[in-house]
Amino acid sequence: VQLQASGGGLVQPGGSLRLSCVGSGDTFGNYGIGWFRQAPGKEREFVAAIRWSTGATLYADSVKGRFTISRERAKNTVHLQMNSLKADDMAVYYCAARPRWLVGGMTKANDYDYWGQGTQVTVSS
């Protein structure tokens, strides 16, 4: 599967953005789809994941209550709605996919097989 991430941009603190990850070459079916982010000088970190077949979700503690991951079946797309954005959220955001959901996993970059190209999120006044 090929992944195309989009939706990044410049937003003020407290603002919102919605990222999208479109899959092509395969339908997500039984996939797990995740979002990670990487700020300059920092390691890539888990943000959220969704199990395509059931809609079950996982979130990093740092984004719980602010970010929502969802799926749009008709478009083979996963969205990440980001609200109440903070300076700490500024990073390049990547979507990733694994053909089968890993029970007890899905929060580490090594759990995923496919990666999109990343989209920059800048939070600044």
Side-chain angles (χ1 to χ4, degrees), residues 9-123:
L10 172 64
V11 63
Q12 292 185 342
S16 299
L17 280 175
R18 189 176 81 155
L19 306 184
S20 297
C21 177
V22 180
S24 61
D26 195 6
T27 55
F28 283 148
N30 293 314
Y31 277 64
I33 309 298
W35 285 97
F36 287 74
R37 65 188 182 187
Q38 188 167 17
K42 295 187 177 181
E43 293 187 355
R44 193 168 295 191
E45 65 171 354
F46 171 75
V47 176
I50 188 166
R51 188 172 186 173
W52 186 267
S53 59
T54 65
T57 57
L58 293 171
Y59 292 96
D61 287 344
S62 59
V63 305
K64 280 181 181 177
R66 300 189 298 122
F67 290 11
T68 302
I69 190 170
S70 62
R71 68 195 193 281
E72 188 174 357
R73 289 183 179 276
K75 295 185 178 181
N76 212 44
T77 298
V78 170
H79 301 291
L80 183 69
Q81 177 66 42
M82 305 186 296
N83 299 328
S84 302
L85 283 161
K86 308 172 182 178
D88 287 347
D89 296 317
M90 187 162 59
V92 177
Y93 282 70
Y94 299 90
C95 63
R98 176 186 172 92
R100 288 197 175 273
W101 183 263
L102 180 62
V103 176
M106 305 303 292
T107 62
K108 297 179 182 178
N110 287 342
D111 292 338
Y112 294 81
D113 300 298
Y114 305 100
W115 290 83
Q117 84 287 4
T119 185
Q120 175 72 48
V121 172
T122 301
V123 183

